[in-house]
Each structure stands twice: as C-alpha cells, then as structure tokens.
Amino acid sequence: MLAKHIVKQGLLLRNAGALSRASYHGSGVKVTMNDLPVPQGDWKENHTRQNSKYNAVLAAGIAALVGTIALVKSTGIIDLNYSPPESTD
C-alpha cells in the first residue's frame, strides 16, 4: 500500500535530486585525524562520575517499576492470575 502511494505520487522521482546532492562533497575542508577531540583528564574519574549517574537512573527505573506493579496490584486494575479462577462463569 505504501509502495503504491510512493510510486503514484512520484515521491522517488521528486526526491532523487536531493538524494544525489547528499553525496556531493564539493570543495569543502578536508577532515583529518588532527581535527578529532583530544581526551583530557583522568578517565577513571570520568568513568566513576558517569557510572554513578547511570546507577541513579537504573535505581529510579527499578523503583518506578516496583511502584507501578505495587499500585496496579493493590488497586486491582490487573489480575496477575497467580491461581486458577474460582469459577468458570
């Protein structure tokens, strides 16, 4: 369905010029390895800081999951089907 719409509207033909221009490099500045950023500072300090932030996000996610499951279980919104039903009606 989507392919028929694309062909019908001629979207591929209209965008062909833009797609071919995307690979044109022109006379821009040549990028070299010297243009890459140089690492600075102690890697272990940066790793520890980033890891503590990621651990806080993980703890918040786990707390949100546990809180959501507890809320849904206590309000009865979802029956988790721990046991067979009492009746088949």
Side-chain angles (χ1 to χ4, degrees):
M1 179 89 170
L2 179 62
K4 287 172 69 176
H5 177 70
I6 289 172
V7 171
K8 183 179 177 182
Q9 297 294 324
L11 295 176
L12 289 176
L13 295 176
R14 275 190 259 150
N15 292 332
L19 293 175
S20 66
R21 285 191 304 269
S23 63
Y24 177 71
H25 298 290
S27 60
V29 177
K30 186 174 181 178
V31 179
T32 64
M33 293 291 283
N34 292 331
D35 296 328
L36 292 173
V38 178
Q40 297 176 356
D42 186 23
W43 68 270
K44 189 168 184 167
E45 291 174 9
N46 187 30
H47 175 72
T48 304
R49 187 174 64 249
Q50 288 289 92
N51 201 23
S52 64
K53 182 170 55 170
Y54 296 150
N55 285 339
V57 170
L58 177 65
I62 291 172
L65 176 66
V66 169
T68 302
I69 292 173
L71 177 71
V72 168
K73 178 88 171 103
S74 67
T75 57
I77 294 174
I78 293 179
D79 184 20
L80 297 177
N81 295 326
Y82 288 134
S83 60
E86 295 174 3
S87 67
T88 56
D89 293 334

